[in-house]
């Protein structure tokens, strides 16, 4: 491209087409809210007004919009034009526009927002100048319709950024989301622009949720796609691609994270970072940088999301430890550990947490206590994996190992942390493993930290090598500290003789500190043991050894405890100790064997072995003089009585105990710290031990005295030792022994227990804390002192713990005591259990306890009672000692007068409210305990529970509450106990204990459904066991159920109802059957209860409930009663029919038929006066106010519908197909049902029935009777429908043999009804019915019963209609009989009527097969018709029946009706019309006449009509019109050729017919009907003419004119006039009809041209006749003028313009004006003259007319002048300027008439002038002057 071309191209691209108006208009029409057509028509003022309104609404929504009102929405903005601005001005404008777009982006879907943007589009063309920014603003709404509108106004897309929109702009469619994602992924330019847009909007703080969420979701998908795309190619290429992605994404994310005040954007950046980290392979350096950026600047809103992001990022790092800066930022957060724990439930945070923990530990000196607390929380919450937690713990241990003791800040926190972690339940296993894996000497660490680290017990297997203690003694302590500690120890003790005294010696602390520092080194231990204070102590004195005992039994490190045991071992093995008995050390050595540290147990084993060595040497030197001295004999526990209380063993007993019990088990004790307890139990317990020792026990059996001595020895040390650890461990051993010999453990240790109970809670907690033991463990062992064999003191001690004062401050001891009671309960003796149970019950109910701890103990006591198994004795004791209201203390009644209730009894005395409440609580608890203790296994509680129920009734009265819970409990227990008797038939219930009256009272007096249900279930159970107990009280139960229980919708209530029905009702029914009378009467109240509850029973439970009820009662006896009661109770309920139908459908067909029979018996009972059944069931008595008719109507409304069930009919049909006893019984029931149904119908029809149902006292009596009558018919129909047709026909044959004529008639009537309803497709039914026709025929011919004949003929009629075509022969034979003397010729009118109708039906069915009987039947039928038209006959049924018969003949055999028969039918029709019996007779007659016209041969019909015309005239107008109707129908029916063929007959007829006026006017009989009848005649004549051609009609017309004009003599002037009136009436209607139909006949030219020429002379003659007032002539004159006017208007061939015709008519016509005084000229003549002037268009004709008019205007008669002026007015109005051509001739005369003497003439003249001026358009004043 050349340089010039480039310049031209650039100019073209920048051109705005300022001179291209079409382009400007197109640009102006671009709009977001208006159609282009509308937008193009708007100016900027209009646009501004609309858009300003939207902008103002935006300002109300957000005040930030206000500032734009001074710039882009100012008044000045209307005149701004971007093309006229400079580049700088446009840039400044772009800034404002983009800011506004960023702010309005949140409201683009609101109308105000769109209106405001519309101004930017229309005025500032932002879619053209700021296209990218506009698109970015609208992009979040890319799926909304507005985005498609935006695309429609965008310019052609050339920018690469927006190229993805090109196809959617072209199609004006919304881009889908996947398309936008794809564009963002593959178009870096678009991605960069959109990111920049979002950042810019957020920096302006114009961001909104839609934008941020759209950006975050879109960029998440985009980044994922970009990263996936970058993974293609070689690894180097992939790395380069990933770096490019980071360079594109990270700056945007960095900008987003820097906006701290836009939390939504930061959260979106977090989401993108998580995707980026999980998708891309980022190194640790990048990840660390990102994590630091995330952690800096977060707020409360973003912290959770930030932590989640950090967790994801940390998972991708390889290095665990976080950098210091990141750790610092994270540790600033409050509750960080808790947040990490919560976050761990959603995602993995272990790497983040691990790195943070390592970071904290790395700078622990700076974080201090906060850091240790954080690490501990992390480990406790188990956020880290086990391996990670172990690594952290190792780090902590290494920190502890490397920490200097002089570091006073770290030392205490670290020691406490390690101790807590080792003891923590959640992490102690990991801690133990970390300690083992770390290789750190934990004993040395304990010594260093001067604490005890709890550790898991690790059992060593036999043969496992174990390092000895020497390895642990290598650590060198701080000599300076040791020297200071040794120097602080005094040389000798002041008063101390033993460190095992109850009071703690002050020297002990100094000695123990020095010992701890020296224990790590053998040399230092030698120095320590050489201290004077220890060296001065003789071997048998307790001072030195008691110190070491204190150490190994105290809370000291393992190494210290081991060293103490080792020191004592050395002392024992020294030569100085050879004659000393160290048996007092044995209890403490046993405590060491139970130590958790294996090293301690090993050292203790060495000590015991050394002691055994002393005893072994002593046994060898037994004969020597030196005696064995007891160590600590006088001072082990001080010099007081405590030491004296120690029991000592004989030397041999001690040796045997050590040799046989301890030494053999030392190896096992080293491996397992619990082994020593088992060994002691086996050794001391002996045969009392319930367990056999396993093979590993090497214990020999001690003799009983030795066991007793050893037991007493150990017990004495347990009691006297001040070290509670020793007490705890020895009690754990001794409590496994029940008793030794005759001495029980409880007796010996009870003092210890009492001393322990006496201690305060603070003191016990202090001592336990000082010795690092748990108080609850010691409490458990203390209370375990009480054995099951205790006879009272131990149990009393436990009771004192529970109820005493220590319980208030020592809840753990109370819980331990209660736990011990629970443990002892199964093995306690019966008496003890009762007393303990009573104590627990009293304690649980004690209301004097105020502390929360004691209340908790009460709950525990109550829980024991609820969970242990309570024996029958305990339960009986509980129930028997329940308080009785009559024995409760009374409270003086209030002085204020009490208000009493009429519904409830008020107690005579007011009981103490607190005592009453306590009693109720006790009753409640006892009943709950009984309920939970399986009362079905304790039936002996029955009497007591009924007594409790009785007391509850008194309580109800006292407290004024129903106590539903208590009643429910006791009833539930009673129910379970009673059910026990049901399960054990051989056991008998104590009838005297049962209180049925209480149960009924519960049912009736409470509103609680649960109580009611329980009471009903109990009644049901009692009824099934012993019915006589509850039978007398059962009725109130069902009354209650109807008002409450039956209305419930829960499954339990349904179960209660079912149980009540099945268990209570059967014995009730049995009792009723044993009584005299109907059982239904006895159960009436029960049924009434259920019926009353019907509407309240849940719909889905009704059917099952009532079905169960009926099945239980017995459907044979009770189903009918229930159905009847439902029908009477709910007559208007729409659901009652389907419900009763479904209910009865559950039972057999036999039951349902039997129910129907009994149902009808109940109806008969209601109709009778006795009301034996209906009174109790339906309430028919005087008090109820119900009437029999109402009840019967309601009952009968239901039964037919129940019997119409298809399922019932199907079942009956299947049963009857079986020829057995069941089918025979079913037929008998059906016969009974049918007989009762027919009897009911008879009773209703009877006089008494009519009197009952038409009583004047009943509203709408007549209606009620007809309703009941109709229902009876429906019932009969339903009964008949129960059997199939075949079966029913068989039944009818048998019933007809009965002599009862009435029954036979009803049976036949039933057959008729059944046949009408029968299905024609059933072949078997057809065969059976047709086979029954001969039987019916024989009844017609033979039966003397006329009514029976009626019914038989009716049945034949129905059969013929439905099945006659199947066997026409049998129907024809029946018709022959019916047409004979026994039918059609019978003397009985009704029989003749039925016969006629039947013959009509048969004729229609068998057709020509009826011909043999027609010669006999047709004359008889016509004779019957003529007889029915007699003057004394008013019934038209025979008349209608004959016409029906004739109608059938005319339809099927029309050729039979000819000649004489046709004349007879027409003659009788005329006679019938004259009689006019009723509307029905008229319809039947007219129908037959129409059939004659349609079916009979036209020649026969036309001639018959012509022959019988005179007869029709004589019969009157109605007969005449019907006669004309025959001709009219015949004319319409037949074709033109047929009409033309019989034109001569028709001409003859019309010549007769048009003389009708003359005849009737002469006789004056039907003068008032002449016009109407003649109108009908004219219509028929015109219809005839329209079917004739010109050749045929013209002679007829001429002949008719000649007949009218000249056929009568001239002297008969009136006759001729009347004929001419008839003729011209015909002509007038003829012309009018032609005008209306706008047709022309076959001949060419106008009708007037062809035919009016024949009558013009007659017209002139009539017009020229002298004026007369004779009505006939006046009528003729008016008729002629009408025809003349229509002939003028119909002239199409200028007939009247012909001078010959015009000259003939103009003078006579205008001459009529002279008759103005005698004739209505203005109405009749003037319109004709005007029409003549209009049709005679020539000026000559107009002049001639005008000349005659002017002549009349000069007449001396003012009426003539007036008429002439009005005629001129009409001509001017019609012809206008055409007539005013004659104005010069008219003006002189007008001028004269203006001053006429007659005011009317003068007035009309002025009107004429006004009309002329209106036509001319100018005044006539000048002309008239």
């Amino acid at each position: 491209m050349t340089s010039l071309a480039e310049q031209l191209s650039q100019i073209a691209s920048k051109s705005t087409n300022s001179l291209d108006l079409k382009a400007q208009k197109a640009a102006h029409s671009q709009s977001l809210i208006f159609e282009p057509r509308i937008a193009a028509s708007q100016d900027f003022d209009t646009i501004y007004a609309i858009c300003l309104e939207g902008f103002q609404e935006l300002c109300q929504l957000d005040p930030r919009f206000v500032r734009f009102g001074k710039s882009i929405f100012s008044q000045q903005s209307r005149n701004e034009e971007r093309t006229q601005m400079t580049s700088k001005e446009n840039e400044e404008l772009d800034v404002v526009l983009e800011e506004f777009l960023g702010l309005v982006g949140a409201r683009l879907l609101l109308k105000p927002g769109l209106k405001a943007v519309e101004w930017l589009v229309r005025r500032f063309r932002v879619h053209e100048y700021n296209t990218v920014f506009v698109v970015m603003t609208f992009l979040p709404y890319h799926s909304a319709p507005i985005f498609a509108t935006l695309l429609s106004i965008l310019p052609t897309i050339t920018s690469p950024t927006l190229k993805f929109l090109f196809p959617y702009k072209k199609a004006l469619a919304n881009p889908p989301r996947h398309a936008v994602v794809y564009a963002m992924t593959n178009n870096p330019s678009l991605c960069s622009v959109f990111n920049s847009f979002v950042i810019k909007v957020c920096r302006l703080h114009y961001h909104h949720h839609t934008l941020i969420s759209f950006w975050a979701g879109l960029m998440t998908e985009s980044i994922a796609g970009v990263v996936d795309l970058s993974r293609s190619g070689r690894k180097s290429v992939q790395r380069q691609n990933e770096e490019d992605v980071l360079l594109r994404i990270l700056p945007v994310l960095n900008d987003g994270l820097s906006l701290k005040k836009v939390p939504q954007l930061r959260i979106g950046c977090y989401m993108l970072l998580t995707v980026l980290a999980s998708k891309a392979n980022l190194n640790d350096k990048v990840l660390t940088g990102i994590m630091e950026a995330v952690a800096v600047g977060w707020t409360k809103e973003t912290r959770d999301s930030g932590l989640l992001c950090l967790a994801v990022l940390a998972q991708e790092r390889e290095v665990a430890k976080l950098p210091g800066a990141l750790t610092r930022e994270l540790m600033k957060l409050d509750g960080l550990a808790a947040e990490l724990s919560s976050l761990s439930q959603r995602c993995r945070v272990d790497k983040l947490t691990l790195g943070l923990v390592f970071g904290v530990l790395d700078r622990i000196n700076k974080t201090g206590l906060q850091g240790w607390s954080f690490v501990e929380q992390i480990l406790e919450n188990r956020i880290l994996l086990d391996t990670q937690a172990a690594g952290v713990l190792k780090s902590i241990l290494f920190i502890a190992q490397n920490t200097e003791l002089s570091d006073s800040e770290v030392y205490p926190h670290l020691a406490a942390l390690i101790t807590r972690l080792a003891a923590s339940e959640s992490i102690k296993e990991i801690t133990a493993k970390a300690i083992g894996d770390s290789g750190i000497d934990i004993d040395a660490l304990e010594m260093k930290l001067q604490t005890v680290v709890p550790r898991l017990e690790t059992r060593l297997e036999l043969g496992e090598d174990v390092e000895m203690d020497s390895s642990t003694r290598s650590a060198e302590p701080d000599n300076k500290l040791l020297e200071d500690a040794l120097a602080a120890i005094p040389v000798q003790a002041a008063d101390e003789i033993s460190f095992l005294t109850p009071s703690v010696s002050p020297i002990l602390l100094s000695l123990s500190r020095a010992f701890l520092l020296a224990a790590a080194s053998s040399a230092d231990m030698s120095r320590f043991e050489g201290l004077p204070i220890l060296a001065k102590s003789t071997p048998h004195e307790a001072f030195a050894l008691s110190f070491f005992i204190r150490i190994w039994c105290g809370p000291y490190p393992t190494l210290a405890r081991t060293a103490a045991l080792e020191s004592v071992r050395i002392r024992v093995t020294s030569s100085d100790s050879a004659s000393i008995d160290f048996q007092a050390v044995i209890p403490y050595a046993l405590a060491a064997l139970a130590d958790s540290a294996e090293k301690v147990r090993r050292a203790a084993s060495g000590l015991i072995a050394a002691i055994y060595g002393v005893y072994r040497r002593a046994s060898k030197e037994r004969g020597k003089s030196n005696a064995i001295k007891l160590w600590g004999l006088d001072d082990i526990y001080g010099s007081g009585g405590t030491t004296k209380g120690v029991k000592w063993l004989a030397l041999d007993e001690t040796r045997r105990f050590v040799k046989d019990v301890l030494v053999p088990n030392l190896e096992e004790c080293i491996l397992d710290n619990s082994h020593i307890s088992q060994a002691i139990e086996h050794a001391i317990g002996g045969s009392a031990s319930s367990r056999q020792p396993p093979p590993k026990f090497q214990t020999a059996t001690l003799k009983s005295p030795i066991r007793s001595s050893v037991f007493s020895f150990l017990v004495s040390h347990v009691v006297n030792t001040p070290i509670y650890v020793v007490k705890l461990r020895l009690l754990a051993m001794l409590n496994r022994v029940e008793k030794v010999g005759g001495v029980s453990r409880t007796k010996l240790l009870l003092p210890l227990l009492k001393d322990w109970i006496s201690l305060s809670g603070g003191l016990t907690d202090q001592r336990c804390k000082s010795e690092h033991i748990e108080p609850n463990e010691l409490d458990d062992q203390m209370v375990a002192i009480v054995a099951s064999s205790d006879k009272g003191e131990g149990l009393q001690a436990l009771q004192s713990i529970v109820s005493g004062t220590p319980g208030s401050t020592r809840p753990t001891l109370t819980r331990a005591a209660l736990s011990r009671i629970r443990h002892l309960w199964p093995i306690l003796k019966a008496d003890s259990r009762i007393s303990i149970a009573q104590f627990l019950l009293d304690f649980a109910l004690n209301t004097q306890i105020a502390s929360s701890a004691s209340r908790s103990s009460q709950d525990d006591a109550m829980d024991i009672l609820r969970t242990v198994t309570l024996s029958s004795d305990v339960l009986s004791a509980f129930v028997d000692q329940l308080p009785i209201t009559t024995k409760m203390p009374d409270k003086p009644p209030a002085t204020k007068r009490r208000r009493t209730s009429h519904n409830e009894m008020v107690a005579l005395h007011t009981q103490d409210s607190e005592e009453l409440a306590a009693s109720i609580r006790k009753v409640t608890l006892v009943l709950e305990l009984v309920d939970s203790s399986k009362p079905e296994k304790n039936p002996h509680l029955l009497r007591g529970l009924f007594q409790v129920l009785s007391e509850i009734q008194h309580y109800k009265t006292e407290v004024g509450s129903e106590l539903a819970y208590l009643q429910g409990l006791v009833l539930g227990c009673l129910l379970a106990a009673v059910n026990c008797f049901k399960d054990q038939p051989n056991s008998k219930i104590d009838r005297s204990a049962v209180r049925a009256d209480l149960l009924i009272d519960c049912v009736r007096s409470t509103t609680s459904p649960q109580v009611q249900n329980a009471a009903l279930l109990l009644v049901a159970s009692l009824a099934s066991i012993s019915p006589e107990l509850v039978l007398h009280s059962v009725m109130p139960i069902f009354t209650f159920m109807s008002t409450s229980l039956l209305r419930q919708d829960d499954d339990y209530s349904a179960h209660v109802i079912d149980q009540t029905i099945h268990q209570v009702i059967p014995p009730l029914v049995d009792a009723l059957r044993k009584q005299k009378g109907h059982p239904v009467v006895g159960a009436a109240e029960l049924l009434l209860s259920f019926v009353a509850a019907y509407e309240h029973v849940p719909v889905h439970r009704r059917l099952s409930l009532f079905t169960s009820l009926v099945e239980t009662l017995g459907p044979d006896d009770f189903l009918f009663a229930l159905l009847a009661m439902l029908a009477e109770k709910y007559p208007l309920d729409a659901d009652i029919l389907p419900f009763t139908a479904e209910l009865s459908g559950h039972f057999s067909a036999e039951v349902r038929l039997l129910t129907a029979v009994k149902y009808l018996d109940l109806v008969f009972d209601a109709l009778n006066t006795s009301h034996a059944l209906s009174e109790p069931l339906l309430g028919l008595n005087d008090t109820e106010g119900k009437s029999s008719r109402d009840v019967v109507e309601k009952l009968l409304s239901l039964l037919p519908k129940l019997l119409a069930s298809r399922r019932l009919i199907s079942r009956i049909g299947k049963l009857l197909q079986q020829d057995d006893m069941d089918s025979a019984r079913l037929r008998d029931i059906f016969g009974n049902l049918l007989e009762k149904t027919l009897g009911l119908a008879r009773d209703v029809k009877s006089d008494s029935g009519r009197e009952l149902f038409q009583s004047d006292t009943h509203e709408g009596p007549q209606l009620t009777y007809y309703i009941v009558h109709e229902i009876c018919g429906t019932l009969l129909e339903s009964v008949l429908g129960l059997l199939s047709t075949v079966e029913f026909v068989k039944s009818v044959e048998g019933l007809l043999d009965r002599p009862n004529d009435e029954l036979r008639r009803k049976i036949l009537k039933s057959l008729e009804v059944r046949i009408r309803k029968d299905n024609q497709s059933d072949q078997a039914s057809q065969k059976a019915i047709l086979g029954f026709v001969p039987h019916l025929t024989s009844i017609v011919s033979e039966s003397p019963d006329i009514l029976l004949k009626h019914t038989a003929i009716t049945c034949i009629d129905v059969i013929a209609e439905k099945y006659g075509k199947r066997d026409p022969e049998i129907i024809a034979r029946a018709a022959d009989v019916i047409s004979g003397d026994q039918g059609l010729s019978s003397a009985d009118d009704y029989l003749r009527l039925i016969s006629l109708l039947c013959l009509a039906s048969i004729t229609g069915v068998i057709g020509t097969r009826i011909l043999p009987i027609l010669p006999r039947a047709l004359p008889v039928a016509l004779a019957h018709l003529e007889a029915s038209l007699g003057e004394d006959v008013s019934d038209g049924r025979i008349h209608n029946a004959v016409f029906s018969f004739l109608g059938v003949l005319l339809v099927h055999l029309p050729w039979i009706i000819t000649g004489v028969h046709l004349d007879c039918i027409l003659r009788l029709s005329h006679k019938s019309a004259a009689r006019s019996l009723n509307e029905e007779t008229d319809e039947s007659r007219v129908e037959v006449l129409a059939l004659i016209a349609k079916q009979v041969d036209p020649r026969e019909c036309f001639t018959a009509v012509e022959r019988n015309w005179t007869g029709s005239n004589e019969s009157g107008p109605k007969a005449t019109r019907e006669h004309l109707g025959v001709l009219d129908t015949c004319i319409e029916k037949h074709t033109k050729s047929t009409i033309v063929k019989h034109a001569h007959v028709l001409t003859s007829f019309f010549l007769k017919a048009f003389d009708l006026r003359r005849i009737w006017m002469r006789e004056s009989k039907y003068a008032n009907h002449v016009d109407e009848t003649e109108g009908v005649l004219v219509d028929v004549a015109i219809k005839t003419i329209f079917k004739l051609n010109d050749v045929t009609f013209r002679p007829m017309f001429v002949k008719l004119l000649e007949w009218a004009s000249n056929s009568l003599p001239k002297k008969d002037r009136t006759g001729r006039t009347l004929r001419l009136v008839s003729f011209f009436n015909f002509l007038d209607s003829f012309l009018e009809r032609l005008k209306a139909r706008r047709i022309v006949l076959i001949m060419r030219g106008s009708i007037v041209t062809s035919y009016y020429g024949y009558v013009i002379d007659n017209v002139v003659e009539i017009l020229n006749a002298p004026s007369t007032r004779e009505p006939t002539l006046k009528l003729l004159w008016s008729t002629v003028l009408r025809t003349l006017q229509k002939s003028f208007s119909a002239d199409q061939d200028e007939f009247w313009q012909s001078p010959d015709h015009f000259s003939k008519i103009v003078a006579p016509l205008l001459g009529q004006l002279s008759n103005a005084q005698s004739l209505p000229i203005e109405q009749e003549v003037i319109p004709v003259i005007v029409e003549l002037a209009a049709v005679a268009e020539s000026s000559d004709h107009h002049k001639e007319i005008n000349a005659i008019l002017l002549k009349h205007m000069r007449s001396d008669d003012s009426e003539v002048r007036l008429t002439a002026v009005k005629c001129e007015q009409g001509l001017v109005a019609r012809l206008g300027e055409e007539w005013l051509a004659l104005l010069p001739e008219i003006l002189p005369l007008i001028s004269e008439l203006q001053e006429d003497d007659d005011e009317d003439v003068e007035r009309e003249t002025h009107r004429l002038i006004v009309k002329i001026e209106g036509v001319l358009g100018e005044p006539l004043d000048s002309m008239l002057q």
Side-chain angles (χ1 to χ4, degrees), residues 1450 1462 1465-1466 1487-1496 1501 1526:
L1450 287 168
L1462 188 57
I1465 292 173
L1466 290 175
E1487 184 178 353
V1488 169
L1489 293 176
L1491 287 173
I1492 291 173
K1494 294 176 182 178
Q1495 300 294 111
V1496 176
C1501 184
V1526 175

Side-chain angles (χ1 to χ4, degrees), residues 162 409 1595:
L162 303 179
E409 294 184 1

Side-chain angles (χ1 to χ4, degrees), residues 851-868:
S851 66
S852 59
S854 297
R855 286 195 294 271
S856 176
S857 300
Q858 284 183 304
D859 295 338
D860 293 339
M862 194 174 298
D863 183 66
I864 292 175
L865 291 174
R866 295 182 190 277
T867 54
V868 301

